Structures are given as C-alpha cells and as structure tokens.
C-alpha cells in the first residue's frame, strides 16, 4: 500500500513539474536543434584519458622513454585556480555518469582540457596532470618524428627576421619597462576602451539560430561626420583566430583601424565569434563542458556571421555593408559567401587581411603539427582535447613557443599561444603594446576550429570540417567533407597579404585569387616590411601600408 502511494506521489510530482516546465517555456527560448548537435552524441572522443595512479603514470612515462614528471598542478596555477579546477573536476566527474538518450555512457572527460567556470579570461596553466614535453611520441617513430618537427620549426623560423642580440635586449627592456608602467588598457574591454577615448559605443547581444549568444559592439557614426546616406557607410569587422573585437582598438585612436574608420565617418560594428570571451554564452550549453565547444569555422560562417550581418543591416536599415576580416574573419566570410549566395548581395566588399583559405603552405608550426599527415598529430590531438582550445604550457613550447622564445629572447612571448601560432616581428610592434596584446590575446577558440585549419594543411581544397569517412557519410552524405566553392563568391574582394605571414602564405593566397570571380584588388605588403600575421592589426606600419588603402577603396566603392 505504501509503495503504491509512493508511486502515485512520484507520478503526480512528475506531472506537476512537467506542466511547470511547459508553462515557463517561452517560444523565444526554443532551441533549434541542428543536425550537428544531434550527431555530437555519437562523437566519442578518440581518447579518453583516465585518472592514473602515480605508479601507472611513471610506467606510462617509461614507455615514452621520457624523464618521469610528478603529476602536479603546474607552477603557474594560483591557489585560487587550483581550487577552481578541483571543484570543477568533482563536478565533471559526477556528471560523467550521464547517459545519452540512446543509453550509451559518455566517456570520462579529459581532465587536461577544461577551463575555469568563472571569469572572462581562460586561465592558462590550470592542469591536473603535468604533461611531459610534447610531442616526441611513440618509440618506433621517434627519429622520423623528430626530423619532421625540426623541419616544421626550421621552415617557420626561416620566415622570421632574426633580430640581433642587441635588438632583442633593447626590445625586451622596453617591454619590461612598459610592464612596470601602470596601463589600464591592459584590462579594459571593448566598451571601456572606446569610452576611455571618447568614442560612442553600444553593446548588442545577438542570438544565433543554434542558440549561441554573441556580443557585437557598435561605434555609431559621429553626428557631425555622418556621410551621405546613399553611400551606405556601414562597416562590419571580424577579428582573427584566438582574437576578439578588442584587437581592432588596441593601438589606440589615430592608429587602430576601427578608430580610423569611425573618424572617416563610417558606422562601425565589431563582431565576436562564438567561443571568444565576448561570445561565450549559450541558451542551453555551458562553456565549462565540452559540449559548448563542438563547433568549427563552419558554424562561425553559417550561424554567427549571418546572425550578425543580418542584425547590423536590419538595425541600420541598409542593404549592404563593408566587411573587414582578419585571418579567421576571412575564412568565415569566404565560406559563407560560397554557401549562401544571398550574402554576396549583402556585402559591398570583402576586405580580406591575411586571407586564410588555402593552407598548404602555412608556416605556423602549431597548425602544421595539427595536420592529419604526421606521426605526432595523434598525440598532439590527445593533448589538446576536444573542448576549448587551451593548450598546456608544455604543448605551447613544443609547437613553436621554444623556438620563438629563442628568436625574440622573451619567455613571455614564447609561452603565449597567440604568438606561438602566428609569429612576431619585433621591429613592427611598439614595445609598449606587447603587454597590452598579451593581456588581450588569446581569448578562446574551440579545438575543432584549430583542427580544421590543421586538416586544411593536408587537404586538396578548402573543406568543411572532416569528421573521418564514417561520420562524414552520416553528416554530409559522402566520405569526404564537401569543399567550399570559391568560384561562387560573387562579392567583390580586395585583399592584403604578406610574405612573412605564417598563416596566409603568398602561394596559398595566389590560389584563392585565381579562383575568385570578383577580385577587385590585391596588395602584397612590401617584402622589406616583414609583415607577420598579427601586424595587420598591431603594427605601427599598418595605418600607412594597409588601413589608408582600405579606407580609400571603401570611399571609391560604387553600390
Ligand atoms: C565591459 O566592462 C564594463 C565595465 O566593467 C561592463 O559594464 C560591461 O558589461 C563589459 N562589457 C562586456 C561585453 O563584457
């Protein structure tokens, strides 16, 4: 009798809570489930690192013929972040028993790849396991691997400018001096930076059709400078890989492109891709869990950009906008324009700084090591996990950080994954700007996004994310990921690229140019300027070499 009562009560309680949920649900909150979300449940990570005892750990280290390291928190971890990791670890462990709708048990999460629950900036260095030096892998292949790694690092190094010892010392002293000087620009967000320099600013939150909440910043055209409305003076700017809207402002007024465009009378909008510090929210997914991070450039191109572009056009009542993209900001817009023809009509001109479409000649060691045609790629993928891209200090130093540290003579530069990925030429950057850049970058990306660039290195084309033949068949209906057809990009394009750019090499840019039907202009930065990837946003030479040209070409565009 009692048991029956319990059952009835349970059923009642269930019914009540179900009806409560129904009532509280707003149509606006409905989440459109994408096919890709649906298949995520089948995507078991290739590797499921287990918690090891110390003994097991030492044994596994012996297998790699490596000096054993004690598994500890890395030295950089603050007391506070250790606490955060501990509590999150407990949280994640408890939830790892969750069963998928089909009853499979999800694998244990990789302890090496999650981030702090709170705080905007991902904190680097919060790892449970201290990871042995990467990526000299399994015994049999060590020699070949080492040779390949050496080749990759040497080829990247060859593109750098090799400053003399005096130049290095002078530069690093100036950086150290700048670090001693209090500078609030280090911590200001996009809104605060614009306010500080007396520019009007608005923050807008935009929901994508798959539930991500993106922040877009608006610098309204100053009243007295408003251009002829028929000129449709709206500019939308999209940052590069590991970056954010901050990057268009860091050099300050009179130098950074967003300020210059605003000064020239344009209505400027700064976008933020999902996963960066301003767009790390979702109606249902939590960024502390890997589920949030299951996106590549395909989702940025086909969900984020349309949401932001349509919002900007609707809000301003315009039919077209000028699109300025750097690095990943160009990857996304080319993918979008190739896939959804209507957006070619919404973009007056794509201004592509360092266009990243074809990657066969890429010089960035990180991206090359992620390519699926090397012996160590598996091990590197294992280390970076399947969620947020948050490589350990050991990984960063192995994928170019050490080499960069030697080149620049700065441990800080070598340990920042943004520099390790994209290289730096100290002659082009104001030393005082280095601490500012390092405190604003990196801002977060998904490992899948990084992997997609790695895949492009070994690919014959610019393709959608490659899940492997079996999954591709389910997702795309073919064993190969489909390619993005650059012949279909009808929007006019003008581009800017450089020989010393680790990420957009001239040979790859030339291939893209040959395929685009509507290339209006193409400017190769003079070789003696040694423009690195980041120089398009941070070099003292950028206003003269690049920004002036962009603004001139916008003024001359006929709509
Ligand atoms: C920027 O900082 C200000 C002041 O701290 C804050 O009110 C605002 O919400 C921040 N904006 C974003 C997008 O984080």
């Amino acid at each position: 009798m009692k048991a029956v009562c319990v059952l009835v009560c349970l059923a009642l309680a269930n019914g009540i809570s179900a009806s409560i949920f129904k009532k509280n649900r707003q149509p606006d909150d409905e989440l459109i489930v994408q096919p890709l979300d649906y298949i995520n449940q089948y995507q078991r990570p290739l590797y499921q690192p287990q918690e090891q005892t110390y003994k097991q750990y030492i044994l596994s280290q012996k297998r790699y013929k490596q000096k054993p390291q004690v598994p500890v928190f890395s030295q950089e971890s603050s007391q506070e972040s250790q606490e955060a990791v501990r509590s999150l670890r407990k949280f994640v462990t408890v939830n790892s028993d969750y069963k998928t709708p089909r009853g499979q048990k999800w694998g244990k999460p990789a302890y090496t790849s999650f981030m702090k629950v709170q705080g905007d900036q991902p904190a680097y260095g919060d790892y449970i396991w201290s990871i042995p030096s990467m990526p000299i892998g399994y015994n049999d292949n060590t020699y070949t691997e080492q040779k390949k790694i050496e080749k990759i690092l040497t080829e990247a190094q060859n593109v750098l400018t090799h400053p003399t010892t005096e130049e290095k010392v002078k530069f690093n002293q100036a950086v150290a001096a700048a670090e001693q000087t209090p500078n609030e620009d280090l911590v200001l967000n996009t809104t605060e930076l614009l306010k500080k320099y007396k520019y009007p600013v608005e923050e807008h939150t935009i929901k994508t059709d798959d539930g991500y909440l993106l922040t877009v910043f608006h610098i309204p055209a100053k009243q007295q400078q408003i251009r002829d409305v028929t000129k449709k003076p709206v500019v939308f700017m999209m940052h590069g890989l590991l970056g954010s809207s901050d990057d268009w402002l860091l050099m300050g007024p009179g130098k950074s492109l967003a300020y210059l465009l605003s000064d020239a009378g344009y209505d400027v909008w700064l976008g933020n891709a999902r996963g960066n510090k301003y767009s790390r929210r979702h109606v249902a997914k939590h960024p502390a869990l890997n589920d949030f991070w299951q996106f590549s450039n395909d989702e940025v191109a086909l969900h984020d950009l349309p949401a932001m572009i349509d919002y900007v056009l609707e809000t301003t009542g315009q039919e077209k906008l000028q699109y300025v993209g750097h690095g990943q900001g160009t990857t996304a817009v080319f993918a979008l324009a190739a896939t959804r023809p209507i957006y070619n009509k919404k973009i007056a001109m794509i201004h592509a700084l360092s266009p990243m479409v074809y990657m066969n000649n890429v010089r960035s060691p990180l991206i090359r090591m992620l390519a699926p045609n090397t012996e160590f790629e598996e091990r590197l993928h294992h280390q970076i996990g399947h969620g947020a891209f948050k490589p350990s200090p050991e990984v960063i130093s192995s994928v170019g950080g050490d080499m960069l540290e030697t080149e620049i003579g700065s441990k800080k530069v070598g340990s920042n994954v943004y520099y390790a990925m994209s290289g730096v030429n100290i002659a082009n950057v104001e030393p005082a700007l280095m601490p500012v850049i390092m405190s604003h970058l990196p801002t977060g990306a998904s490992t899948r996004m990084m992997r997609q660039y790695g895949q492009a290195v070994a690919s014959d084309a610019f393709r959608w994310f490659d899940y492997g033949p079996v999954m591709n068949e389910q997702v795309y209906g073919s064993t190969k990921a489909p390619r993005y057809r650059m012949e279909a990009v009808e929007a006019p394009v003008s581009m800017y690229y450089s020989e010393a750019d680790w990420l957009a090499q001239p040979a790859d840019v030339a291939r893209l140019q040959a395929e685009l039907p509507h290339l209006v202009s193409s400017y190769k930065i003079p070789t003696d300027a040694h423009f690195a990837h980041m120089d398009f946003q941070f070099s003292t030479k950028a206003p003269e070499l690049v920004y002036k040209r962009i603004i001139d070409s916008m003024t001359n565009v006929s709509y």
Side-chain angles (χ1 to χ4, degrees):
M1 190 60 204
K2 254 184 198 161
V4 172
C5 177
V6 168
L7 279 178
V8 170
C9 291
L10 270 177
L12 270 176
N14 244 334
I16 290 166
S17 62
S19 64
I20 289 174
F21 274 116
K22 242 183 228 150
K23 261 196 214 124
N24 283 352
R25 214 147 144 211
Q26 303 293 322
D28 197 32
D29 287 332
E30 217 150 285
L31 178 64
I32 299 166
V33 177
Q34 296 292 318
L36 281 180
D37 283 338
Y38 181 68
I39 57 145
N40 279 339
Q41 62 181 286
Y42 302 113
Q43 265 201 293
R44 301 169 64 88
L46 287 175
Y47 296 93
Q48 296 170 3
Q50 304 287 324
E51 221 174 331
Q52 298 166 301
T53 62
Y54 183 58
K55 216 167 160 187
Q56 287 167 332
Y57 179 79
I58 297 296
L59 274 175
S60 73
Q61 289 316 297
K62 284 201 175 130
R63 280 224 314 278
Y64 295 139
K65 287 201 178 142
Q66 299 249 340
K67 219 174 84 204
Q69 292 180 9
V70 187
V72 284
F73 292 103
S74 62
Q75 283 164 353
E76 285 93 322
S77 304
S78 63
Q79 194 64 35
E80 188 193 342
S81 59
Q82 289 187 18
E83 280 304 316
V85 168
R86 256 185 225 113
S87 62
L88 184 61
R89 179 178 167 190
K90 212 154 74 196
F91 170 69
V92 173
T93 311
V94 168
N95 280 279
S96 69
D97 279 325
Y98 179 84
K99 289 206 172 56
T100 66
R102 291 199 154 191
Q104 302 132 323
K105 204 167 160 185
W106 271 334
K108 261 199 174 178
Y111 288 138
T112 48
S113 63
F114 54 73
M115 39 188 296
K116 278 205 287 184
V117 184
Q118 279 159 343
D120 285 344
Q121 298 272 9
Y124 283 75
D126 301 329
Y127 294 88
I128 303 292
W129 296 109
S130 142
I131 297 164
S133 227
M134 252 287 300
I136 316 298
Y138 305 104
N139 295 337
D140 351 348
N141 287 322
T142 305
Y143 181 74
T144 342
E145 283 179 23
Q146 266 178 348
K147 282 288 151 215
K148 281 202 177 162
I149 290 167
E150 259 172 50
K151 181 167 183 283
I152 289 174
L153 292 174
T154 313
E155 286 179 2
Q157 195 174 20
N158 288 344
V159 185
L160 295 170
T161 43
H162 322 302
T164 63
T165 309
E166 292 97 90
E167 282 166 341
K168 283 191 231 179
V169 170
K170 208 171 137 218
F171 181 77
N172 287 307
Q173 278 171 351
V175 174
E179 276 168 349
Q180 297 306 312
T181 322
N183 181 356
E184 54 177 357
D185 286 10
L186 261 67
V187 293
L188 298 185
N189 64 26
T190 297
T191 301
E192 295 167 316
L193 282 169
L194 284 159
K195 280 196 175 147
K196 174 177 171 186
Y197 295 110
K198 306 274 183 299
Y199 281 75
V201 54
E202 298 163 1
E203 286 179 12
H204 298 254
T205 303
I206 296 167
K207 187 163 82 176
T208 67
D209 57 2
D210 58 348
Y212 285 83
L213 299 169
L214 314 175
T215 306
V216 171
F217 296 92
H218 179 205
I219 314 171
K222 289 179 186 164
Q223 208 56 42
Q224 70 275 22
Q225 292 167 328
I226 277 196
R227 294 186 153 230
D228 180 0
V229 180
T230 55
K231 287 235 170 184
K232 303 181 167 67
V234 174
V235 186
F236 178 74
M237 307 178 78
M238 200 58 194
H239 60 81
L241 198 50
L242 301 178
S244 75
S245 50
D246 297 346
D247 308 348
W248 301 111
L249 302 166
L250 295 183
M251 285 197 290
K255 294 184 200 141
S256 273
L257 183 54
Y259 291 115
L260 296 179
L261 285 166
S262 180
D263 294 346
Y266 288 93
D267 193 45
V268 181
W269 295 76
L270 310 174
N272 284 293
R274 60 183 62 190
N276 91 9
K277 63 177 176 181
Y278 295 123
S279 296
R280 202 170 289 162
R281 280 180 300 153
H282 186 276
V283 294
K285 300 175 183 179
H286 197 289
L289 299 174
N290 282 353
D291 193 31
F292 178 92
W293 298 94
Q294 303 312 309
F295 58 81
S296 66
N297 284 311
D298 303 339
E299 283 76 25
V300 175
L302 301 173
H303 298 285
D304 293 359
L305 284 192
M308 292 189 284
I309 290 175
D310 289 344
Y311 180 90
V312 169
L313 291 178
E314 210 166 284
T315 312
T316 55
Q318 304 287 336
E319 274 164 20
K320 289 187 187 221
L321 48 74
Q322 301 275 358
Y323 184 103
V324 179
H326 175 234
Q328 186 213 341
T330 68
T331 314
V333 75
F334 285 123
L336 173 66
T339 318
R340 297 182 65 183
I342 181 120
Y343 284 90
N344 287 301
K345 303 208 166 59
K346 298 185 180 191
I347 298 173
M349 172 92 89
I350 296 171
H351 305 265
L353 312 182
S354 183
M356 284 165 69
V357 166
Y358 296 111
M359 308 291 287
N360 305 83
N361 295 288
V362 78
R363 286 286 163 265
S364 166
L366 169 63
I367 305 288
R368 284 182 81 181
M369 287 185 194
L370 281 170
N373 59 351
T374 60
E375 288 82 357
F376 40 82
E377 160 260 344
E378 273 198 2
R379 200 161 134 85
L380 180 54
H381 280 201
H382 168 43
Q383 308 246 2
I384 64 173
H386 288 81
F389 179 66
K390 196 178 162 248
S392 67
E394 291 84 355
V395 169
I396 298 172
S397 59
S398 308
V399 297
D402 274 355
M403 181 261 286
L404 205 62
E405 182 184 329
T406 320
E407 279 282 313
I408 312 301
S410 160
K411 191 159 188 60
K412 266 205 184 125
V413 169
S415 60
N416 183 308
V417 68
Y418 177 69
Y419 291 116
M421 174 189 75
S422 58
V424 58
N425 173 8
I426 58 174
N428 287 347
V429 208
E430 199 67 60
L433 193 64
M434 292 295 276
V436 181
I437 298 172
M438 283 190 269
S439 75
H440 284 267
L441 287 137
T443 73
S446 69
T447 52
R448 197 181 277 184
M449 213 173 221
M450 308 302 289
R451 267 157 217 254
Q452 195 177 17
Y453 282 115
Q455 292 171 354
V457 177
S459 171
D460 56 338
F462 175 32
R463 293 185 183 279
W464 290 60
F465 185 78
D466 186 351
Y467 294 91
V470 179
M471 283 278 292
N472 285 345
E473 187 75 50
Q474 291 183 38
V475 184
Y476 306 119
S478 63
T479 50
K480 248 184 160 179
R483 75 179 186 95
Y484 287 108
R485 297 174 55 249
M486 287 301 99
E487 315 83 275
V489 179
E490 307 227 312
V493 177
S494 67
M495 55 176 68
Y496 303 83
Y497 64 103
S498 157
E499 215 153 280
D501 186 340
W502 273 4
L503 291 160
Q505 278 286 296
D508 292 333
V509 174
R511 180 173 170 197
L512 171 64
Q513 284 179 357
E515 290 178 5
L516 290 172
H518 201 162
L519 181 71
V520 175
S521 72
S522 169
Y523 180 67
K524 186 171 167 211
I525 311 294
T527 308
D528 60 8
H530 297 289
F531 242 48
H533 184 70
M534 54 171 269
D535 289 336
F536 289 93
Q537 281 173 315
F538 303 128
S539 170
T540 44
K541 298 172 189 161
E544 181 61 30
L545 288 177
V546 184
Y547 303 161
K548 208 165 153 284
R549 283 187 166 76
I550 293 180
I551 295 171
D552 283 351
S553 72
M554 278 184 195
T555 320
N556 298 329
V557 164
S558 58
Y559 285 84

